[in-house]
Amino acid sequence: MKNKMRSKFTFFKAGQGSFYGGRIWLQDTREVFTVVYDCGTSPFIAGNNQSLNNEINHFKNRGYYFLRNNNEIELLFISHLDYDHVSGLKRLLTEFNVKNIILPYIKKEHRQFFLTSISNDNDPDNNLTIDEYISFIDSPNKFINSNSEKTKQFYIKPDSKNEIEYFGYDSNNDKFENIYPQGNPSNIDELYNQANVSVYENNLQFFIKKNWEFTTYVKDVNEAAIEKLHSCLKKKLNKEITEVLSLEDLKSIVTINRKKAHKCYTDCIGEINSHGLVLLHGPINYKHLSGEIYPNYELNYVQNNYRYYNSFYKEYHFNNDNKRSMLGTLLLGDISINPNNNPINFPQAFKDKLLNVHVVQIPHHGSSKNWDFTSFEVLNIGRNINRWENHVVTVCNFGYGNKYGHPSHEVLKDLRSTIFLNSQFSRININYDIIF
């Protein structure tokens, strides 16, 4: 009997934010594994918070997404700590049984500045309050533990090494029934000897048996951009240029004069948040895969000459004769591939995996500051995919009505034949049926 697996993943209607997740079903054991990457939105667009909350409810309650384990999340990945990527985090931690959360480690003296990512007209509406977000930034470890004490926390130390080694799945051990990590353990003083906390070097992977791979890579913060933000805030607070702002200073300004603080943040947008955890995941060692990608639109679509709104149904078939390749989804968060803006430089071991990518999340909501088509092409994304009626699909998540001009005209023009737009009005669904 052939082993079979099914997966259903969705870019949800988060508006100017990000919420991606889905479930993987193993036919032989009837096990279901739930995975999420980011869960947040920007509240400056009316209705965004409610849209995100509705999507969390939808994700939690829809029975057709496999009947078992709907209240469990096996893997929760956080790309970075900006408010628009974590505003729904408390709901996930308190309403689901989150077994593992994975996030980049950012030094406290750097991460405290992300408090200014809260917009001046924030309306939590069941999402993170200001005080809760301050608590999260102050200590992600304590915040997670206070809301879900049994959740195992994995922190990845960023580095800029050109050569790293990914271990791959455990080919000598078939006993694993659940997801297991692979990588080099490490340590961090701030997290030393904390319960349920593990620290890894920048080569952490997770596997579902030998059938599904999750590979991470973390880009460190842009210290020059943080210093630029620091200087702007000191001017707003009438501080001397030689002074160093403390967390208490930042708490004060985002509580009392949030508009000024957020203005400094938006002046650095595209630079200050061009970092974070990149996730590549997908089935491995499969024999045949059939898939479908289709949107759900809340509003009537209008298709222009560039086909920015791909409303049609796409079906794909992939044969994997050597049973070694993966078929990957690449989630880029807010990182930059613009050579003039703190670009990410993937190590070769990660670049090699990009050859088998099928679906790509466009970085930073399609911002021109984070985009360069030449750099995108150099990554050779999806070059190993059989091109007969198959091609790489791109997804841009953004909010209609945003004040940043996302997605940029450059992104829409460069990707006009492959792009799906994911907003507060539309989901993008990716379903696979897999034979091993």
Side-chain angles (χ1 to χ4, degrees):
M1 178 180 177
K2 295 180 179 179
N3 291 327
K4 294 183 179 180
M5 178 183 285
R6 296 180 64 197
S7 68
K8 295 176 179 286
F9 282 89
T10 298
F11 290 89
F12 291 100
K13 296 185 288 186
Q16 191 72 11
S18 179
F19 178 26
Y20 168 89
R23 294 185 171 95
I24 301 163
W25 179 67
L26 276 64
Q27 181 180 18
D28 56 343
T29 61
R30 304 290 176 177
E31 292 174 286
V32 176
F33 300 92
T34 302
V35 181
V36 172
Y37 179 85
D38 282 347
C39 184
T41 192
S42 295
F44 64 80
I45 300 176
N48 265 11
N49 279 327
Q50 188 57 50
S51 178
L52 177 65
N53 282 317
N54 289 342
E55 292 298 271
I56 294 173
N57 293 338
H58 179 75
F59 184 58
K60 181 178 180 180
N61 298 322
R62 54 185 172 178
Y64 66 88
Y65 250 52
F66 314 123
L67 296 178
R68 298 183 59 189
N69 296 355
N70 274 9
N71 68 331
E72 295 181 351
I73 297 177
E74 274 70 25
L75 293 174
L76 170 55
F77 295 90
I78 301 297
S79 68
H80 62 297
L81 309 186
D82 275 10
Y83 187 85
D84 65 330
H85 288 252
V86 300
S87 67
L89 178 59
K90 184 179 178 181
R91 282 201 62 191
L92 296 187
L93 291 172
T94 56
E95 297 181 26
F96 292 79
N97 175 16
V98 179
K99 295 183 177 180
N100 306 283
I101 183 170
I102 304 94
L103 58 166
Y105 176 74
I106 301 172
K107 296 176 183 177
K108 191 170 185 176
E109 60 264 32
H110 293 155
R111 68 174 184 259
Q112 64 184 3
F113 290 99
F114 301 131
L115 287 177
T116 59
S117 69
I118 309 174
S119 60
N120 60 296
D121 49 359
N122 178 56
D123 174 17
D125 190 23
N126 294 326
N127 290 352
L128 279 182
T129 65
I130 304 305
D131 288 340
E132 287 169 340
Y133 185 55
I134 290 173
S135 174
F136 173 66
I137 292 296
D138 186 21
S139 175
N141 166 42
K142 292 179 180 178
F143 177 85
I144 294 166
N145 189 56
S146 66
N147 285 284
S148 183
E149 63 180 0
K150 294 183 179 180
T151 298
K152 295 180 181 178
Q153 302 176 39
F154 293 82
Y155 294 85
I156 304 173
K157 291 174 63 175
D159 60 46
S160 56
K161 294 179 181 177
N162 292 325
E163 296 296 332
I164 63 174
E165 179 185 1
Y166 289 108
F167 291 1
Y169 62 86
D170 191 334
S171 60
N172 298 316
N173 199 332
D174 292 319
K175 71 179 182 180
F176 295 105
E177 296 181 358
N178 296 312
I179 293 175
Y180 61 95
Q182 292 277 72
N184 291 116
S186 187
N187 58 75
I188 292 170
D189 289 344
E190 181 184 355
L191 300 171
Y192 179 73
N193 209 27
Q194 297 295 315
N196 290 326
V197 170
S198 298
V199 178
Y200 277 80
E201 297 293 338
N202 207 356
N203 65 343
L204 180 60
Q205 296 176 288
F206 286 83
F207 292 89
I208 300 176
K209 298 186 177 180
K210 302 175 183 178
N211 303 130
W212 205 284
E213 173 182 328
F214 303 86
T215 295
T216 66
Y217 181 73
V218 172
K219 175 73 168 69
D220 205 354
V221 297
N222 183 347
E223 294 190 20
I226 288 179
E227 187 53 41
K228 178 181 176 182
L229 174 58
H230 192 187
S231 297
C232 178
L233 292 169
K234 283 189 284 189
K235 290 180 182 178
K236 301 293 184 184
L237 291 170
N238 296 316
K239 298 279 189 178
E240 295 292 334
I241 193 66
T242 55
E243 291 187 66
V244 177
L245 296 183
S246 67
L247 180 61
E248 293 304 315
D249 291 326
L250 293 166
K251 288 179 183 178
S252 176
I253 192 172
V254 300
T255 303
I256 298 171
N257 205 334
R258 197 178 313 144
K259 186 174 182 179
K260 285 186 177 180
H262 190 65
K263 177 63 167 60
C264 285
Y265 172 83
T266 55
D267 286 346
C268 300
I269 200 77
E271 301 172 272
I272 192 69
N273 52 355
S274 59
H275 68 276
L277 185 156
V278 174
L279 175 65
L280 172 58
H281 80 96
I284 55 175
N285 300 316
Y286 65 90
K287 184 175 181 181
H288 179 77
L289 182 150
S290 61
E292 57 185 13
I293 299 178
Y294 60 95
N296 298 129
Y297 284 110
E298 196 170 293
L299 301 177
N300 290 332
Y301 71 92
V302 178
Q303 185 172 1
N304 63 22
N305 292 332
Y306 286 114
R307 297 183 180 178
Y308 292 164
Y309 298 83
N310 279 339
S311 61
F312 45 89
Y313 167 93
K314 292 174 177 277
E315 184 171 351
Y316 299 88
H317 294 273
F318 300 91
N319 290 312
N320 188 15
D321 295 331
N322 60 23
K323 294 191 69 178
R324 291 191 299 272
S325 298
M326 75 182 302
L327 187 68
T329 294
L330 179 64
L331 302 169
L332 293 170
D334 279 1
I335 63 97
S336 171
I337 59 171
N338 186 332
N340 299 314
N341 179 29
N342 191 37
I344 194 166
N345 183 21
F346 291 116
Q348 190 60 48
F350 196 94
K351 287 181 181 178
D352 291 343
K353 295 178 180 293
L354 298 180
L355 299 173
N356 298 301
V357 165
H358 179 215
V359 179
V360 184
Q361 177 195 41
I362 301 305
H364 197 197
H365 317 294
S367 169
S368 61
K369 292 183 178 180
N370 298 56
W371 176 254
D372 180 74
F373 188 54
T374 300
S375 298
F376 183 74
E377 288 190 310
V378 168
L379 291 174
N380 290 321
I381 292 174
R383 290 296 172 91
N384 281 353
I385 291 177
N386 183 343
R387 293 293 171 174
W388 184 75
E389 294 189 358
N390 296 323
H391 60 76
V392 173
V393 173
T394 58
V395 178
C396 183
N397 45 284
F398 74 104
Y400 281 106
N402 75 80
K403 54 191 175 185
Y404 308 114
H406 298 161
S408 68
H409 177 71
E410 292 91 338
V411 167
L412 295 174
K413 175 175 65 68
D414 291 339
L415 301 174
R416 58 187 178 271
S417 64
T418 69
I419 195 168
F420 282 92
L421 298 185
N422 167 225
S423 71
Q424 65 266 50
F425 304 118
S426 60
R427 301 185 193 107
I428 308 301
N429 306 287
I430 304 151
N431 301 341
Y432 290 154
D433 285 286
I434 308 154
I435 297 175
F436 294 91

